Amino acid sequence: MLSFQHFVSLNFSLSAILIAAISSSAALPVGSLNASDIGSTIWNTSLGYAPDDFTVAPSRSTGAELEKYPCLMQALTALGYVASQDFDQSMPPVSFGGPYLSLDVEGPIEKSSIEGKYAVWGLYVVMGYMLGQKDFRARAFYLQWQGDLVGVIRFNELDQMNIVANTKNGLDRSIQQIDTSALSNPTAISINSTIGGTFVDGDLTYNIEFSGQDLTETRVFMTVCAALVEVAPEPASTAIQDFEPDSSRFRTELELKDPFSRTSPPFLTYQQMIKILVQIPAFCLGAGERWGGVYMSAYVNHIVVAMGFLLGVRRLGISASNSSDVSAS
């Protein structure tokens, strides 16, 4: 079996995003939705960053236990992708595949379109649920707006036998691959698990370095996810100069700024910043599951365009790594 570090480096490219889901043993199919499968208590967005009228209900029916980190990274990759799409418009259904599981994001009818904002809010809430409840299972999550079903997120355990059979039968030819340029997999040109790493993605080069401050995995993941929710309404190609999302709910601070407040190109775009944000938890995992604060710097065509950090906010007498995490109840 692949090590997870190897899995992160090889299998979280968005070349795995497909219009239709790979055949797998899934949670309840969208087309057979019935009220009895929706949990008796709809789990609300107590984590904030999404409107109160938006709720998520995990299905009663569940499948196999899934590996934690593939689950989280698949959902984070999906959130990074949908955050780079049009927030207020419908987007085609998408599936994110890997060697362990697949994740489907689609509308209320199987393989139907979903509004970008519902996909963004839904993935954010699902991340909080999984981390807060320590619940990583093959299941569906039903997304609702003012009580109406508006989308479904499904975690599926991949059936390796079915994948091989479908490939031999040519069924994969009907799966249309969508444009993956919005969030491609960077090339790591230098990684030191005790210091940091340098990554290259086209004309973007960025560094992530450990600050020496310990954090928990939940605070790192959820700070990044909250930042992606805040970024999502902005056009992906828009240049940024100052980005300081409110992550106080997780007792962290995140900041990316142009240190020179330049008025002419090159600039860091929101799309490029999404790539950097998604890479932070992947970098921590690749460094041996070392969860901590980081410093960041970004360059476009070798010109510095942003510098920043993700750091914990300490409470008096409580370290950043020991303070309480999110609650998903």
Side-chain angles (χ1 to χ4, degrees):
M1 180 179 292
L2 291 172
S3 69
F4 190 77
Q5 182 173 353
H6 198 201
F7 176 58
V8 169
S9 63
L10 292 181
N11 294 290
F12 281 120
S13 169
L14 287 199
S15 60
I17 304 175
L18 308 174
I19 285 289
I22 298 171
S23 177
S24 61
S25 58
L28 183 76
V30 180
S32 62
L33 173 63
N34 60 75
S36 65
D37 191 58
I38 298 179
S40 58
T41 300
I42 293 179
W43 187 74
N44 209 321
T45 55
S46 59
L47 290 170
Y49 304 102
D52 291 340
D53 284 340
F54 181 79
T55 55
V56 175
S59 64
R60 293 181 184 275
S61 57
T62 60
E65 292 283 343
L66 300 175
E67 294 286 338
K68 175 173 69 172
Y69 288 129
C71 245
L72 291 171
M73 286 305 303
Q74 205 76 285
L76 180 65
T77 301
L79 179 54
Y81 175 77
V82 300
S84 68
Q85 304 303 299
D86 195 321
F87 187 73
D88 291 312
Q89 300 296 321
S90 293
M91 55 175 281
V94 288
S95 180
F96 301 78
Y100 302 105
L101 60 98
S102 70
L103 187 160
D104 305 332
V105 182
E106 51 196 358
I109 300 173
E110 189 171 10
K111 297 183 182 178
S112 66
S113 296
I114 180 173
E115 286 195 35
K117 59 189 176 187
Y118 298 144
V120 169
W121 297 335
L123 285 162
Y124 169 75
V125 172
V126 167
M127 285 287 289
Y129 175 88
M130 292 191 299
L131 284 162
Q133 299 294 324
K134 296 179 175 56
D135 186 346
F136 305 94
R137 286 180 287 178
R139 76 185 321 157
F141 291 89
Y142 303 115
L143 317 183
Q144 301 187 21
W145 176 254
Q146 297 180 341
D148 293 330
L149 184 68
V150 293
V152 180
I153 294 170
R154 289 181 292 160
F155 288 85
N156 312 304
E157 180 189 22
L158 290 184
D159 183 332
Q160 299 299 324
M161 295 296 290
N162 282 349
I163 293 173
V164 172
N166 288 345
T167 301
K168 288 181 177 179
N169 292 333
L171 298 182
D172 58 320
R173 295 173 187 170
S174 66
I175 300 174
Q176 181 183 355
Q177 183 172 316
I178 65 174
D179 181 13
T180 63
S181 61
L183 197 67
S184 60
N185 212 26
T187 299
I189 62 174
S190 173
I191 291 184
N192 184 318
S193 61
T194 62
I195 302 175
T198 299
F199 305 87
V200 176
D201 194 327
D203 60 0
L204 173 68
T205 301
Y206 55 96
N207 301 314
I208 302 175
E209 300 178 359
F210 285 114
S211 69
Q213 180 191 52
D214 292 332
L215 295 173
T216 63
E217 63 183 28
T218 297
R219 294 175 71 190
V220 173
F221 270 112
M222 293 310 298
T223 298
V224 169
C225 289
L228 292 173
V229 173
E230 187 157 331
V231 166
E234 304 293 338
S237 60
T238 300
I240 68 166
Q241 289 194 333
D242 297 330
F243 181 67
E244 297 180 78
D246 177 14
S247 58
S248 59
R249 186 178 296 265
F250 309 114
R251 296 172 302 286
T252 56
E253 291 181 303
L254 175 65
E255 178 181 296
L256 266 175
K257 288 186 175 183
D258 179 353
F260 304 110
S261 300
R262 65 181 69 253
T263 57
S264 60
F267 302 104
L268 184 73
T269 66
Y270 282 102
Q271 181 169 298
Q272 290 171 324
M273 185 172 64
I274 288 171
K275 297 178 182 181
I276 298 172
L277 293 174
V278 171
Q279 190 63 30
I280 294 173
F283 169 69
C284 291
L285 276 172
E289 299 177 24
R290 178 183 174 186
W291 302 100
V294 297
Y295 297 116
M296 298 166 280
S297 56
Y299 306 81
V300 172
N301 294 326
H302 308 291
I303 298 174
V304 62
V305 291
M307 301 184 75
F309 54 80
L310 189 167
L311 297 173
V313 178
R314 298 181 185 274
R315 290 179 176 176
L316 185 63
I318 303 177
S319 72
S321 61
N322 292 330
S323 53
S324 60
D325 280 326
V326 299
S327 171
S329 59

